[in-house]
Amino acid sequence: MTRSLAVQGGSPVRTRPWPLWPQSAPGAVRALEGVLTSGRWSISGPYQGTESQERRFARAFAAYNGVEHCVPAASGTASLMLALEACGIGAGDEVIVPGLSWVASGSTVLGVNAVPVFCDVDPDTLCLDPVAVESALTERTKAIVVVHLYSAVADMDALRALAERHGLPLIEDCAQAHGAEYHGVKVGALATAGTFSMQHSKVLTSGEGGAVITRDAEFARRVEHLRADGRCLAGLPVDTGRMELVETGELMGSNRCVSEFQAALLVEQLGVLDEQNERRRRNAALLDELLADAGYRPQSTSAGTGNRTYYTYAARLPEGELTDVGLAAVTDALTAELGFPIASCYAPITRNRLYDPRSRGRFALGVQHESRIDPKGFDLPVCEEAARRTVTVHHAALLGDEGDMRDIAAAFAKVVRHGAQLTG
Ligand SMILES: Cc1ncc(COP(=O)(O)O)c(C=O)c1O
């Protein structure tokens, strides 16, 4: 048999380079230099007579999302833990999370001494399935965390109705969905709180970073205290040289602050987010058509989604094709064709090798707690099926042009056409 696949020494579909990520916004260098010489590199440094970059970003990101409050934080992980604690979640409480997500969806719940209850996802959107949530509720359930995964927005009408019916806070994890909308409202603004990650790979990034947004002033005040060692920002003006953070003693916290460098960068990056999201959306629409022609099934999003965003483009392999080949062999073959990493869908968190509560002594809180957090007890058939058959493309590739999308589609079609070579 002729070995035509690049992974076996054949010619690749493409050798041209791909767009780089991250891409710095036009004003980024000047903004970072401004911080360098400002005399203030953190909100925990003394006030220097001008508004902190952290406050500037908080105001801009709150306005962007159409909410009153934003508290920047060190990471998406920190933001989730802050939001959970601000909801009053603590020892032994159950929190519903999707089984298909980055491991932080489980580890953050463990991190506040609570118990993650993993639920199955919808097979088309890959986001939390409201029916699965309903049947996982117990009298110990104290919150629901929904993740808008890859390029989808979850079924927020159903999840909000369910949370309201049961009097539960609902947290939207928007780490993968900055700028997406649902019935004209930005994600993160649809529930008790929204959390974001600004880690390197995200569509809005400062290398590391995060934020919690909310409409609720009291909730925001709790988040502020929790992320700044129990301090909150004073009302301006503050005398130059004085601390802007006030020690109220209201609520104990930990340091989860972003630096002024991160905040200054985020202000600039936010200015190019919509244009970049639009470019990804245009390219994804073309890819949808091309891949559907090749038999792939692109991830769909809930009815009501507007301004769909693409952190990752996900598609299911064609029905009946490549069934004897492991997904890793398929993604290796696609990667070799394109010179761009094509990845498998997440494994369900319950069997992700990065998720092992027993490896951390801090979660050894007694035999009963340990058996409640044991990930083996969850049955997640839809997550399992998605993990077997879904491939994903990072959004950097979607910043390219029409030719780039045609290359991706050509590689996807080629690997199906020559799939038999991967088994031989
Ligand atoms: C859905 C989701 N939640 C939370 C996080 C955690 O964010 P961070 O890496 O900034 O801590 C991530 C990061 O990839 C994520 O994808």
Side-chain angles (χ1 to χ4, degrees):
M1 183 185 342
T2 316
R3 299 282 167 184
S4 44
L5 291 176
V7 76
Q8 294 170 332
S11 300
V13 164
R14 164 192 178 113
T15 52
R16 277 188 303 131
W18 290 90
L20 292 177
W21 187 258
Q23 297 179 5
S24 68
V29 170
R30 201 156 39 96
L32 290 170
E33 281 172 354
V35 176
L36 262 181
T37 53
S38 70
R40 191 178 188 194
W41 291 4
S42 162
I43 53 163
S44 58
Y47 185 68
Q48 294 298 327
T50 52
E51 186 180 43
S52 69
Q53 298 296 329
E54 204 253 17
R55 278 205 207 246
R56 281 184 68 216
F57 174 66
R59 204 177 52 243
F61 201 52
Y64 177 81
N65 288 301
V67 297
E68 291 76 13
H69 308 281
C70 167
V71 183
S75 65
T77 299
S79 304
L80 275 168
M81 289 174 66
L82 293 167
L84 286 165
E85 287 207 85
C87 287
I89 306 304
D93 292 338
E94 289 178 6
V95 178
I96 303 244
V97 296
L100 197 72
S101 182
W102 179 239
V103 286
S105 293
S107 64
T108 51
V109 176
L110 292 178
V112 298
N113 290 356
V115 175
V117 174
F118 296 101
C119 279
D120 219 339
V121 296
D122 177 273
D124 298 318
T125 66
L126 306 181
C127 296
L128 202 51
D129 176 359
V131 176
V133 174
E134 185 97 55
S135 58
L137 294 173
T138 73
E139 72 281 1
R140 297 174 92 163
T141 309
K142 291 295 181 304
I144 302 168
V145 181
V146 55
V147 178
H148 303 303
L149 195 77
Y150 295 149
S151 71
V153 175
D155 181 353
M156 290 302 290
D157 282 343
L159 289 165
R160 278 202 305 194
L162 196 155
E164 248 167 61
R165 206 162 54 245
H166 295 275
L168 293 170
L170 177 62
I171 298 170
E172 294 177 80
D173 179 344
C174 309
Q176 305 190 0
H178 314 63
E181 292 179 8
Y182 186 77
H183 296 311
V185 177
K186 286 273 191 334
V187 296
L190 294 154
T192 312
T195 66
F196 293 81
S197 163
M198 280 64 148
Q199 174 269 344
H200 172 99
S201 67
K202 304 304 187 303
V203 296
L204 177 65
T205 181
S206 49
E208 299 285 356
V212 181
I213 64 168
T214 181
R215 298 178 188 281
D216 179 338
E218 282 306 307
F219 187 97
R221 190 171 170 86
R222 289 197 293 281
V223 174
E224 264 205 65
H225 282 80
L226 286 165
R227 69 80 204 248
D229 283 328
R231 298 167 293 179
C232 75
L233 288 169
L236 292 175
V238 172
D239 290 342
T240 298
R242 300 287 294 265
M243 289 298 285
E244 198 177 338
L245 285 170
V246 183
E247 299 181 11
T248 67
E250 260 175 58
L251 177 61
M252 179 179 163
S254 310
N255 183 3
R256 302 278 184 265
C257 296
V258 288
S259 77
E260 287 289 277
F261 294 101
Q262 290 166 295
L265 187 52
L266 287 172
V267 170
E268 302 304 322
Q269 297 301 126
L270 186 59
V272 296
L273 175 63
D274 282 348
E275 185 272 326
Q276 290 178 341
N277 273 344
E278 174 57 35
R279 193 149 25 120
R280 294 181 188 104
R281 190 157 44 242
R282 258 198 326 269
N283 280 326
L286 173 60
L287 207 47
D288 280 350
E289 276 176 38
L290 298 172
L291 290 186
D293 287 348
Y296 286 80
R297 204 174 89 209
Q299 179 190 20
S300 60
T301 185
S302 302
T305 303
N307 281 339
R308 187 172 179 183
T309 58
Y310 288 82
Y311 167 64
T312 307
Y313 185 95
R316 260 180 83 93
L317 300 181
E319 228 41 69
E321 302 282 1
L322 300 162
T323 49
D324 302 334
V325 188
L327 196 60
V330 175
T331 54
D332 284 353
L334 289 167
T335 299
E337 294 302 335
L338 289 167
F340 184 89
I342 305 298
S344 303
C345 174
Y346 294 125
I349 298 177
T350 47
R351 66 173 178 79
N352 187 321
R353 81 171 87 108
L354 302 180
Y355 185 81
D356 180 8
R358 284 162 315 169
S359 65
R360 300 276 294 276
R362 67 185 299 182
F363 305 133
L365 297 169
V367 177
Q368 213 184 7
H369 183 75
E370 284 163 60
S371 86
R372 291 178 72 208
I373 64 173
D374 184 349
K376 285 198 207 76
F378 297 93
D379 187 26
L380 303 168
V382 183
C383 296
E384 292 290 352
E385 176 62 10
R388 259 193 306 274
R389 299 286 294 170
T390 308
V391 296
T392 66
V393 187
H394 183 253
H395 65 82
L398 300 179
L399 289 172
D401 56 23
E402 185 181 324
D404 295 324
M405 299 311 107
R406 294 196 181 279
D407 285 345
I408 294 173
F412 276 53
K414 180 179 172 186
V415 168
V416 170
R417 207 164 52 245
H418 300 287
Q421 293 178 18
L422 296 172
T423 48

